[in-house]
Amino acid sequence: MTRTAVDDLNDELRQTTVARGRIFAMHMLRQKVPALGHAEVIAYVNALQSGSAPAHLVAIATKTLVPEPDPVLSVHTIQAGQHSTG
């Protein structure tokens, strides 16, 4: 199984909720994913307590935490052409 930055965030939020409380976890999430609004942060942390966060909120967190690949650094393989002699 491949773990993502969002998986790590969710684990950290769950641990923080247990150790320091939901409000502290909400503040932490807001700092790490500022694109989430206050109501979204509340929904995200509350959902994690009973399972997993809503997909649309996970998508926002993913966009914030996982950088877009740099197209300049991408590699394109070019297949060699057929050469004929004669």
mmCIF file of all heavy atoms in Angstrom, residues 31-84:
data_model
loop_
_atom_site.group_PDB
_atom_site.id
_atom_site.type_symbol
_atom_site.label_atom_id
_atom_site.label_comp_id
_atom_site.label_asym_id
_atom_site.label_seq_id
_atom_site.Cartn_x
_atom_site.Cartn_y
_atom_site.Cartn_z
ATOM 1 N N GLN A 31 -3.593 25.410 9.593
ATOM 2 C CA GLN A 31 -2.238 25.878 9.285
ATOM 3 C C GLN A 31 -1.630 25.102 8.121
ATOM 4 O O GLN A 31 -0.967 25.679 7.265
ATOM 5 C CB GLN A 31 -1.330 25.745 10.506
ATOM 6 C CG GLN A 31 -1.640 26.740 11.590
ATOM 7 C CD GLN A 31 -0.805 26.529 12.832
ATOM 8 O OE1 GLN A 31 -0.161 25.491 13.000
ATOM 9 N NE2 GLN A 31 -0.818 27.508 13.719
ATOM 10 N N LYS A 32 -1.873 23.798 8.086
ATOM 11 C CA LYS A 32 -1.269 22.967 7.049
ATOM 12 C C LYS A 32 -2.002 23.068 5.716
ATOM 13 O O LYS A 32 -1.393 22.901 4.663
ATOM 14 C CB LYS A 32 -1.206 21.510 7.513
ATOM 15 C CG LYS A 32 -0.222 21.319 8.640
ATOM 16 C CD LYS A 32 -0.089 19.863 9.009
ATOM 17 C CE LYS A 32 0.868 19.725 10.150
ATOM 18 N NZ LYS A 32 2.126 19.131 9.779
ATOM 19 N N VAL A 33 -3.310 23.306 5.768
ATOM 20 C CA VAL A 33 -4.121 23.393 4.544
ATOM 21 C C VAL A 33 -4.970 24.667 4.624
ATOM 22 O O VAL A 33 -6.176 24.611 4.890
ATOM 23 C CB VAL A 33 -5.007 22.142 4.358
ATOM 24 C CG1 VAL A 33 -5.704 22.179 3.002
ATOM 25 C CG2 VAL A 33 -4.207 20.859 4.506
ATOM 26 N N PRO A 34 -4.343 25.823 4.400
ATOM 27 C CA PRO A 34 -5.074 27.082 4.537
ATOM 28 C C PRO A 34 -6.199 27.267 3.510
ATOM 29 O O PRO A 34 -7.056 28.131 3.697
ATOM 30 C CB PRO A 34 -3.991 28.151 4.372
ATOM 31 C CG PRO A 34 -2.830 27.468 3.744
ATOM 32 C CD PRO A 34 -2.940 26.018 4.083
ATOM 33 N N ALA A 35 -6.214 26.455 2.478
ATOM 34 C CA ALA A 35 -7.277 26.550 1.475
ATOM 35 C C ALA A 35 -8.627 26.084 2.025
ATOM 36 O O ALA A 35 -9.666 26.415 1.457
ATOM 37 C CB ALA A 35 -6.914 25.729 0.239
ATOM 38 N N LEU A 36 -8.614 25.339 3.123
ATOM 39 C CA LEU A 36 -9.865 24.894 3.734
ATOM 40 C C LEU A 36 -10.452 26.016 4.579
ATOM 41 O O LEU A 36 -9.740 26.652 5.363
ATOM 42 C CB LEU A 36 -9.619 23.666 4.626
ATOM 43 C CG LEU A 36 -9.258 22.363 3.929
ATOM 44 C CD1 LEU A 36 -8.896 21.291 4.956
ATOM 45 C CD2 LEU A 36 -10.388 21.881 3.046
ATOM 46 N N GLY A 37 -11.735 26.242 4.438
ATOM 47 C CA GLY A 37 -12.428 27.224 5.263
ATOM 48 C C GLY A 37 -12.707 26.654 6.646
ATOM 49 O O GLY A 37 -12.508 25.456 6.902
ATOM 50 N N HIS A 38 -13.177 27.505 7.541
ATOM 51 C CA HIS A 38 -13.417 27.062 8.921
ATOM 52 C C HIS A 38 -14.434 25.924 8.989
ATOM 53 O O HIS A 38 -14.212 24.934 9.696
ATOM 54 C CB HIS A 38 -13.870 28.244 9.788
ATOM 55 C CG HIS A 38 -12.804 29.276 9.963
ATOM 56 N ND1 HIS A 38 -11.660 29.046 10.691
ATOM 57 C CD2 HIS A 38 -12.697 30.531 9.489
ATOM 58 C CE1 HIS A 38 -10.895 30.114 10.661
ATOM 59 N NE2 HIS A 38 -11.492 31.038 9.930
ATOM 60 N N ALA A 39 -15.526 26.033 8.271
ATOM 61 C CA ALA A 39 -16.545 24.976 8.283
ATOM 62 C C ALA A 39 -15.978 23.672 7.700
ATOM 63 O O ALA A 39 -16.296 22.578 8.182
ATOM 64 C CB ALA A 39 -17.781 25.409 7.509
ATOM 65 N N GLU A 40 -15.127 23.798 6.680
ATOM 66 C CA GLU A 40 -14.518 22.606 6.068
ATOM 67 C C GLU A 40 -13.548 21.939 7.030
ATOM 68 O O GLU A 40 -13.480 20.701 7.105
ATOM 69 C CB GLU A 40 -13.809 22.987 4.768
ATOM 70 C CG GLU A 40 -14.766 23.434 3.682
ATOM 71 C CD GLU A 40 -14.064 24.060 2.498
ATOM 72 O OE1 GLU A 40 -13.068 24.797 2.689
ATOM 73 O OE2 GLU A 40 -14.527 23.804 1.363
ATOM 74 N N VAL A 41 -12.794 22.738 7.769
ATOM 75 C CA VAL A 41 -11.859 22.183 8.763
ATOM 76 C C VAL A 41 -12.630 21.416 9.829
ATOM 77 O O VAL A 41 -12.246 20.304 10.215
ATOM 78 C CB VAL A 41 -11.001 23.316 9.384
ATOM 79 C CG1 VAL A 41 -10.277 22.842 10.622
ATOM 80 C CG2 VAL A 41 -10.017 23.854 8.364
ATOM 81 N N ILE A 42 -13.712 21.992 10.296
ATOM 82 C CA ILE A 42 -14.539 21.321 11.308
ATOM 83 C C ILE A 42 -15.079 20.005 10.757
ATOM 84 O O ILE A 42 -14.997 18.962 11.415
ATOM 85 C CB ILE A 42 -15.686 22.248 11.762
ATOM 86 C CG1 ILE A 42 -15.122 23.442 12.523
ATOM 87 C CG2 ILE A 42 -16.711 21.486 12.607
ATOM 88 C CD1 ILE A 42 -16.116 24.568 12.740
ATOM 89 N N ALA A 43 -15.598 20.030 9.536
ATOM 90 C CA ALA A 43 -16.140 18.814 8.919
ATOM 91 C C ALA A 43 -15.052 17.762 8.735
ATOM 92 O O ALA A 43 -15.282 16.567 8.972
ATOM 93 C CB ALA A 43 -16.785 19.158 7.576
ATOM 94 N N TYR A 44 -13.865 18.187 8.327
ATOM 95 C CA TYR A 44 -12.746 17.268 8.077
ATOM 96 C C TYR A 44 -12.355 16.554 9.372
ATOM 97 O O TYR A 44 -12.290 15.326 9.423
ATOM 98 C CB TYR A 44 -11.564 18.068 7.532
ATOM 99 C CG TYR A 44 -10.475 17.263 6.866
ATOM 100 C CD1 TYR A 44 -10.291 17.330 5.497
ATOM 101 C CD2 TYR A 44 -9.612 16.446 7.591
ATOM 102 C CE1 TYR A 44 -9.278 16.610 4.867
ATOM 103 C CE2 TYR A 44 -8.603 15.726 6.976
ATOM 104 C CZ TYR A 44 -8.441 15.816 5.610
ATOM 105 O OH TYR A 44 -7.441 15.101 4.984
ATOM 106 N N VAL A 45 -12.111 17.323 10.433
ATOM 107 C CA VAL A 45 -11.672 16.730 11.707
ATOM 108 C C VAL A 45 -12.774 15.865 12.304
ATOM 109 O O VAL A 45 -12.508 14.755 12.788
ATOM 110 C CB VAL A 45 -11.197 17.827 12.682
ATOM 111 C CG1 VAL A 45 -10.952 17.252 14.074
ATOM 112 C CG2 VAL A 45 -9.934 18.494 12.151
ATOM 113 N N ASN A 46 -14.015 16.327 12.246
ATOM 114 C CA ASN A 46 -15.120 15.518 12.781
ATOM 115 C C ASN A 46 -15.265 14.204 12.023
ATOM 116 O O ASN A 46 -15.505 13.159 12.620
ATOM 117 C CB ASN A 46 -16.429 16.306 12.736
ATOM 118 C CG ASN A 46 -16.486 17.386 13.801
ATOM 119 O OD1 ASN A 46 -15.742 17.355 14.783
ATOM 120 N ND2 ASN A 46 -17.362 18.355 13.606
ATOM 121 N N ALA A 47 -15.113 14.249 10.705
ATOM 122 C CA ALA A 47 -15.232 13.034 9.900
ATOM 123 C C ALA A 47 -14.115 12.044 10.209
ATOM 124 O O ALA A 47 -14.344 10.832 10.222
ATOM 125 C CB ALA A 47 -15.234 13.388 8.418
ATOM 126 N N LEU A 48 -12.910 12.553 10.470
ATOM 127 C CA LEU A 48 -11.793 11.653 10.785
ATOM 128 C C LEU A 48 -12.034 10.879 12.073
ATOM 129 O O LEU A 48 -11.542 9.763 12.225
ATOM 130 C CB LEU A 48 -10.481 12.440 10.916
ATOM 131 C CG LEU A 48 -9.810 12.848 9.626
ATOM 132 C CD1 LEU A 48 -8.515 13.593 9.924
ATOM 133 C CD2 LEU A 48 -9.527 11.654 8.734
ATOM 134 N N GLN A 49 -12.790 11.443 12.983
ATOM 135 C CA GLN A 49 -13.071 10.752 14.241
ATOM 136 C C GLN A 49 -13.905 9.489 14.031
ATOM 137 O O GLN A 49 -13.779 8.540 14.793
ATOM 138 C CB GLN A 49 -13.801 11.678 15.205
ATOM 139 C CG GLN A 49 -12.903 12.740 15.793
ATOM 140 C CD GLN A 49 -13.629 13.562 16.829
ATOM 141 O OE1 GLN A 49 -14.610 14.226 16.519
ATOM 142 N NE2 GLN A 49 -13.144 13.509 18.049
ATOM 143 N N SER A 50 -14.720 9.489 12.985
ATOM 144 C CA SER A 50 -15.581 8.333 12.754
ATOM 145 C C SER A 50 -15.203 7.532 11.516
ATOM 146 O O SER A 50 -15.908 6.604 11.146
ATOM 147 C CB SER A 50 -17.039 8.795 12.639
ATOM 148 O OG SER A 50 -17.177 9.671 11.542
ATOM 149 N N GLY A 51 -14.115 7.891 10.877
ATOM 150 C CA GLY A 51 -13.705 7.151 9.680
ATOM 151 C C GLY A 51 -12.744 7.954 8.843
ATOM 152 O O GLY A 51 -11.622 8.217 9.252
ATOM 153 N N SER A 52 -13.208 8.372 7.681
ATOM 154 C CA SER A 52 -12.333 9.125 6.786
ATOM 155 C C SER A 52 -12.995 10.441 6.391
ATOM 156 O O SER A 52 -14.204 10.592 6.463
ATOM 157 C CB SER A 52 -12.005 8.305 5.540
ATOM 158 O OG SER A 52 -13.180 7.937 4.872
ATOM 159 N N ALA A 53 -12.164 11.375 5.971
ATOM 160 C CA ALA A 53 -12.643 12.701 5.587
ATOM 161 C C ALA A 53 -13.382 12.626 4.250
ATOM 162 O O ALA A 53 -13.105 11.756 3.419
ATOM 163 C CB ALA A 53 -11.472 13.665 5.496
ATOM 164 N N PRO A 54 -14.312 13.550 4.015
ATOM 165 C CA PRO A 54 -15.036 13.587 2.737
ATOM 166 C C PRO A 54 -14.084 13.781 1.557
ATOM 167 O O PRO A 54 -13.102 14.527 1.652
ATOM 168 C CB PRO A 54 -15.965 14.791 2.881
ATOM 169 C CG PRO A 54 -16.100 15.008 4.354
ATOM 170 C CD PRO A 54 -14.794 14.572 4.945
ATOM 171 N N ALA A 55 -14.388 13.122 0.465
ATOM 172 C CA ALA A 55 -13.501 13.114 -0.708
ATOM 173 C C ALA A 55 -13.207 14.515 -1.236
ATOM 174 O O ALA A 55 -12.071 14.803 -1.627
ATOM 175 C CB ALA A 55 -14.112 12.255 -1.814
ATOM 176 N N HIS A 56 -14.211 15.399 -1.252
ATOM 177 C CA HIS A 56 -13.971 16.743 -1.795
ATOM 178 C C HIS A 56 -13.005 17.541 -0.914
ATOM 179 O O HIS A 56 -12.235 18.355 -1.416
ATOM 180 C CB HIS A 56 -15.286 17.490 -2.018
ATOM 181 C CG HIS A 56 -16.004 17.901 -0.777
ATOM 182 N ND1 HIS A 56 -16.693 17.013 0.026
ATOM 183 C CD2 HIS A 56 -16.135 19.114 -0.193
ATOM 184 C CE1 HIS A 56 -17.213 17.662 1.051
ATOM 185 N NE2 HIS A 56 -16.893 18.943 0.943
ATOM 186 N N LEU A 57 -12.989 17.275 0.389
ATOM 187 C CA LEU A 57 -12.042 17.952 1.278
ATOM 188 C C LEU A 57 -10.652 17.328 1.179
ATOM 189 O O LEU A 57 -9.640 18.032 1.246
ATOM 190 C CB LEU A 57 -12.551 17.924 2.723
ATOM 191 C CG LEU A 57 -13.895 18.618 2.953
ATOM 192 C CD1 LEU A 57 -14.313 18.511 4.409
ATOM 193 C CD2 LEU A 57 -13.855 20.062 2.500
ATOM 194 N N VAL A 58 -10.609 16.017 0.991
ATOM 195 C CA VAL A 58 -9.327 15.339 0.775
ATOM 196 C C VAL A 58 -8.680 15.855 -0.504
ATOM 197 O O VAL A 58 -7.463 16.050 -0.565
ATOM 198 C CB VAL A 58 -9.517 13.803 0.733
ATOM 199 C CG1 VAL A 58 -8.248 13.102 0.288
ATOM 200 C CG2 VAL A 58 -9.958 13.292 2.093
ATOM 201 N N ALA A 59 -9.487 16.115 -1.519
ATOM 202 C CA ALA A 59 -8.955 16.646 -2.785
ATOM 203 C C ALA A 59 -8.303 18.009 -2.581
ATOM 204 O O ALA A 59 -7.238 18.290 -3.148
ATOM 205 C CB ALA A 59 -10.066 16.735 -3.829
ATOM 206 N N ILE A 60 -8.899 18.853 -1.745
ATOM 207 C CA ILE A 60 -8.313 20.164 -1.455
ATOM 208 C C ILE A 60 -6.999 19.991 -0.707
ATOM 209 O O ILE A 60 -5.994 20.643 -1.021
ATOM 210 C CB ILE A 60 -9.300 21.034 -0.651
ATOM 211 C CG1 ILE A 60 -10.533 21.354 -1.491
ATOM 212 C CG2 ILE A 60 -8.622 22.322 -0.172
ATOM 213 C CD1 ILE A 60 -11.680 21.989 -0.714
ATOM 214 N N ALA A 61 -6.986 19.098 0.277
ATOM 215 C CA ALA A 61 -5.761 18.838 1.039
ATOM 216 C C ALA A 61 -4.670 18.277 0.134
ATOM 217 O O ALA A 61 -3.502 18.670 0.229
ATOM 218 C CB ALA A 61 -6.047 17.879 2.191
ATOM 219 N N THR A 62 -5.035 17.387 -0.763
ATOM 220 C CA THR A 62 -4.067 16.795 -1.683
ATOM 221 C C THR A 62 -3.458 17.863 -2.572
ATOM 222 O O THR A 62 -2.233 17.893 -2.771
ATOM 223 C CB THR A 62 -4.736 15.710 -2.551
ATOM 224 O OG1 THR A 62 -5.245 14.683 -1.684
ATOM 225 C CG2 THR A 62 -3.765 15.101 -3.538
ATOM 226 N N LYS A 63 -4.280 18.744 -3.083
ATOM 227 C CA LYS A 63 -3.776 19.806 -3.960
ATOM 228 C C LYS A 63 -2.783 20.703 -3.221
ATOM 229 O O LYS A 63 -1.809 21.172 -3.802
ATOM 230 C CB LYS A 63 -4.937 20.625 -4.507
ATOM 231 C CG LYS A 63 -4.518 21.624 -5.545
ATOM 232 C CD LYS A 63 -5.684 22.235 -6.255
ATOM 233 C CE LYS A 63 -5.146 23.189 -7.304
ATOM 234 N NZ LYS A 63 -6.061 23.489 -8.336
ATOM 235 N N THR A 64 -3.021 20.916 -1.934
ATOM 236 C CA THR A 64 -2.131 21.756 -1.131
ATOM 237 C C THR A 64 -0.846 21.021 -0.762
ATOM 238 O O THR A 64 0.243 21.592 -0.811
ATOM 239 C CB THR A 64 -2.844 22.210 0.161
ATOM 240 O OG1 THR A 64 -4.014 22.940 -0.203
ATOM 241 C CG2 THR A 64 -1.943 23.082 1.011
ATOM 242 N N LEU A 65 -0.965 19.758 -0.390
ATOM 243 C CA LEU A 65 0.175 19.014 0.157
ATOM 244 C C LEU A 65 1.041 18.317 -0.888
ATOM 245 O O LEU A 65 2.210 18.043 -0.631
ATOM 246 C CB LEU A 65 -0.326 17.969 1.166
ATOM 247 C CG LEU A 65 -1.034 18.521 2.395
ATOM 248 C CD1 LEU A 65 -1.623 17.392 3.207
ATOM 249 C CD2 LEU A 65 -0.084 19.358 3.235
ATOM 250 N N VAL A 66 0.467 17.999 -2.036
ATOM 251 C CA VAL A 66 1.207 17.270 -3.065
ATOM 252 C C VAL A 66 1.482 18.223 -4.220
ATOM 253 O O VAL A 66 0.559 18.637 -4.922
ATOM 254 C CB VAL A 66 0.409 16.044 -3.562
ATOM 255 C CG1 VAL A 66 1.181 15.293 -4.628
ATOM 256 C CG2 VAL A 66 0.069 15.129 -2.391
ATOM 257 N N PRO A 67 2.746 18.581 -4.415
ATOM 258 C CA PRO A 67 3.057 19.544 -5.480
ATOM 259 C C PRO A 67 2.781 18.968 -6.865
ATOM 260 O O PRO A 67 2.915 17.770 -7.102
ATOM 261 C CB PRO A 67 4.550 19.819 -5.291
ATOM 262 C CG PRO A 67 5.070 18.640 -4.549
ATOM 263 C CD PRO A 67 3.929 18.103 -3.736
ATOM 264 N N GLU A 68 2.387 19.852 -7.757
ATOM 265 C CA GLU A 68 2.183 19.465 -9.157
ATOM 266 C C GLU A 68 3.544 19.110 -9.755
ATOM 267 O O GLU A 68 4.545 19.770 -9.460
ATOM 268 C CB GLU A 68 1.588 20.630 -9.944
ATOM 269 C CG GLU A 68 0.177 20.978 -9.563
ATOM 270 C CD GLU A 68 -0.832 20.010 -10.125
ATOM 271 O OE1 GLU A 68 -0.604 19.480 -11.234
ATOM 272 O OE2 GLU A 68 -1.840 19.784 -9.457
ATOM 273 N N PRO A 69 3.604 18.099 -10.593
ATOM 274 C CA PRO A 69 4.875 17.782 -11.246
ATOM 275 C C PRO A 69 5.293 18.916 -12.179
ATOM 276 O O PRO A 69 4.454 19.520 -12.844
ATOM 277 C CB PRO A 69 4.595 16.500 -12.026
ATOM 278 C CG PRO A 69 3.135 16.278 -11.966
ATOM 279 C CD PRO A 69 2.538 17.194 -10.955
ATOM 280 N N ASP A 70 6.573 19.188 -12.185
ATOM 281 C CA ASP A 70 7.112 20.247 -13.036
ATOM 282 C C ASP A 70 7.214 19.715 -14.457
ATOM 283 O O ASP A 70 7.959 18.768 -14.717
ATOM 284 C CB ASP A 70 8.480 20.680 -12.528
ATOM 285 C CG ASP A 70 9.034 21.879 -13.269
ATOM 286 O OD1 ASP A 70 8.492 22.249 -14.331
ATOM 287 O OD2 ASP A 70 10.018 22.454 -12.780
ATOM 288 N N PRO A 71 6.480 20.303 -15.408
ATOM 289 C CA PRO A 71 6.509 19.780 -16.775
ATOM 290 C C PRO A 71 7.891 19.890 -17.415
ATOM 291 O O PRO A 71 8.216 19.112 -18.307
ATOM 292 C CB PRO A 71 5.479 20.629 -17.522
ATOM 293 C CG PRO A 71 5.271 21.827 -16.690
ATOM 294 C CD PRO A 71 5.601 21.446 -15.272
ATOM 295 N N VAL A 72 8.708 20.794 -16.946
ATOM 296 C CA VAL A 72 10.063 20.934 -17.490
ATOM 297 C C VAL A 72 10.900 19.708 -17.144
ATOM 298 O O VAL A 72 11.761 19.286 -17.908
ATOM 299 C CB VAL A 72 10.738 22.216 -16.949
ATOM 300 C CG1 VAL A 72 12.193 22.297 -17.347
ATOM 301 C CG2 VAL A 72 9.977 23.437 -17.420
ATOM 302 N N LEU A 73 10.613 19.109 -15.987
ATOM 303 C CA LEU A 73 11.389 17.961 -15.550
ATOM 304 C C LEU A 73 10.835 16.629 -16.042
ATOM 305 O O LEU A 73 11.429 15.583 -15.791
ATOM 306 C CB LEU A 73 11.459 17.937 -14.019
ATOM 307 C CG LEU A 73 12.114 19.164 -13.383
ATOM 308 C CD1 LEU A 73 12.038 19.064 -11.866
ATOM 309 C CD2 LEU A 73 13.549 19.318 -13.849
ATOM 310 N N SER A 74 9.707 16.651 -16.725
ATOM 311 C CA SER A 74 9.136 15.400 -17.211
ATOM 312 C C SER A 74 9.956 14.861 -18.377
ATOM 313 O O SER A 74 10.603 15.597 -19.104
ATOM 314 C CB SER A 74 7.681 15.591 -17.627
ATOM 315 O OG SER A 74 7.594 16.449 -18.728
ATOM 316 N N VAL A 75 9.909 13.578 -18.538
ATOM 317 C CA VAL A 75 10.692 12.914 -19.579
ATOM 318 C C VAL A 75 9.733 12.329 -20.605
ATOM 319 O O VAL A 75 8.757 11.682 -20.258
ATOM 320 C CB VAL A 75 11.545 11.785 -18.968
ATOM 321 C CG1 VAL A 75 12.296 11.038 -20.042
ATOM 322 C CG2 VAL A 75 12.501 12.350 -17.937
ATOM 323 N N HIS A 76 10.033 12.566 -21.849
ATOM 324 C CA HIS A 76 9.251 11.990 -22.937
ATOM 325 C C HIS A 76 10.175 11.076 -23.730
ATOM 326 O O HIS A 76 11.226 11.484 -24.192
ATOM 327 C CB HIS A 76 8.693 13.086 -23.866
ATOM 328 C CG HIS A 76 7.751 14.006 -23.175
ATOM 329 N ND1 HIS A 76 6.442 13.672 -22.917
ATOM 330 C CD2 HIS A 76 7.927 15.244 -22.665
ATOM 331 C CE1 HIS A 76 5.857 14.668 -22.285
ATOM 332 N NE2 HIS A 76 6.739 15.632 -22.109
ATOM 333 N N THR A 77 9.781 9.831 -23.880
ATOM 334 C CA THR A 77 10.573 8.884 -24.634
ATOM 335 C C THR A 77 10.176 8.960 -26.106
ATOM 336 O O THR A 77 8.988 8.889 -26.440
ATOM 337 C CB THR A 77 10.352 7.449 -24.112
ATOM 338 O OG1 THR A 77 10.680 7.432 -22.729
ATOM 339 C CG2 THR A 77 11.204 6.453 -24.868
ATOM 340 N N ILE A 78 11.151 9.123 -26.936
ATOM 341 C CA ILE A 78 10.896 9.196 -28.366
ATOM 342 C C ILE A 78 11.412 7.896 -28.967
ATOM 343 O O ILE A 78 12.567 7.528 -28.787
ATOM 344 C CB ILE A 78 11.625 10.399 -29.000
ATOM 345 C CG1 ILE A 78 11.115 11.680 -28.345
ATOM 346 C CG2 ILE A 78 11.424 10.412 -30.519
ATOM 347 C CD1 ILE A 78 11.868 12.917 -28.767
ATOM 348 N N GLN A 79 10.530 7.220 -29.663
ATOM 349 C CA GLN A 79 10.908 5.948 -30.273
ATOM 350 C C GLN A 79 11.752 6.220 -31.512
ATOM 351 O O GLN A 79 11.422 7.073 -32.327
ATOM 352 C CB GLN A 79 9.654 5.153 -30.639
ATOM 353 C CG GLN A 79 9.947 3.770 -31.124
ATOM 354 C CD GLN A 79 8.667 2.987 -31.331
ATOM 355 O OE1 GLN A 79 7.572 3.487 -31.075
ATOM 356 N NE2 GLN A 79 8.783 1.764 -31.788
ATOM 357 N N ALA A 80 12.833 5.472 -31.604
ATOM 358 C CA ALA A 80 13.723 5.637 -32.761
ATOM 359 C C ALA A 80 12.972 5.222 -34.038
ATOM 360 O O ALA A 80 12.189 4.292 -34.052
ATOM 361 C CB ALA A 80 14.956 4.782 -32.587
ATOM 362 N N GLY A 81 13.218 5.957 -35.082
ATOM 363 C CA GLY A 81 12.592 5.659 -36.369
ATOM 364 C C GLY A 81 13.256 4.491 -37.069
ATOM 365 O O GLY A 81 14.350 4.060 -36.710
ATOM 366 N N GLN A 82 12.618 3.966 -38.055
ATOM 367 C CA GLN A 82 13.163 2.875 -38.860
ATOM 368 C C GLN A 82 14.080 3.463 -39.932
ATOM 369 O O GLN A 82 13.674 4.358 -40.658
ATOM 370 C CB GLN A 82 12.023 2.087 -39.526
ATOM 371 C CG GLN A 82 11.062 1.445 -38.559
ATOM 372 C CD GLN A 82 11.670 0.205 -37.933
ATOM 373 O OE1 GLN A 82 12.498 -0.476 -38.525
ATOM 374 N NE2 GLN A 82 11.257 -0.088 -36.689
ATOM 375 N N HIS A 83 15.280 2.963 -40.002
ATOM 376 C CA HIS A 83 16.212 3.412 -41.047
ATOM 377 C C HIS A 83 16.375 2.299 -42.061
ATOM 378 O O HIS A 83 16.561 1.150 -41.720
ATOM 379 C CB HIS A 83 17.588 3.743 -40.440
ATOM 380 C CG HIS A 83 17.548 4.912 -39.504
ATOM 381 N ND1 HIS A 83 17.397 6.204 -39.942
ATOM 382 C CD2 HIS A 83 17.639 4.984 -38.156
ATOM 383 C CE1 HIS A 83 17.405 7.028 -38.897
ATOM 384 N NE2 HIS A 83 17.552 6.293 -37.797
ATOM 385 N N SER A 84 16.298 2.651 -43.323
ATOM 386 C CA SER A 84 16.519 1.645 -44.347
ATOM 387 C C SER A 84 17.701 2.091 -45.209
ATOM 388 O O SER A 84 17.871 3.271 -45.503
ATOM 389 C CB SER A 84 15.274 1.450 -45.220
ATOM 390 O OG SER A 84 14.931 2.671 -45.841
#
